[in-house]
């Protein structure tokens, strides 16, 4: 699976609408990195929630995602 575009609204700590266009990365491979608290896990949680209705890890719960 390769993500193409992600848009989420009022998800986790983000109260507004956030958009990530994964097609901007020309080589087709990319790394999601950043300092602690930058929102890396939020991206994975948003993808997993959109596909499965659940968090990407066992320590977080879907009912806590609403901002």
């Amino acid at each position: 699976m390769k993500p193409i575009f992600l848009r989420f609204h009022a998800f986790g700590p983000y109260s507004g609408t956030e958009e990530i266009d994964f097609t901007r990365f020309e080589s087709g491979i990319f790394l999601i990195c950043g300092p602690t608290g930058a929102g890396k896990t939020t991206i994975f949680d948003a993808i997993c929630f959109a596909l499965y209705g659940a968090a990407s890890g066992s320590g977080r719960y879907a009912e806590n995602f609403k901002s």
Side-chain angles (χ1 to χ4, degrees), residues 24-49:
R24 292 183 8 205
F25 309 105
E26 296 173 9
S27 67
I29 189 166
F30 52 87
L31 172 69
I32 298 174
C33 64
T36 301
K40 301 174 298 290
T41 303
T42 301
I43 294 170
F44 294 116
D45 282 338
I47 292 170
C48 287
F49 186 73

Side-chain angles (χ1 to χ4, degrees), residues 2 6 9-11 18 23 26-27 30-31 33 36 38-39 41-42 46 51 53-54 58 66-67:
K2 178 180 170 184
L6 177 65
H9 178 78
F11 188 83
E18 301 295 328
T23 62
E26 296 173 9
S27 67
F30 52 87
L31 172 69
C33 64
T36 301
T41 303
T42 301
L51 293 172
S58 61
K66 298 174 188 158
S67 180

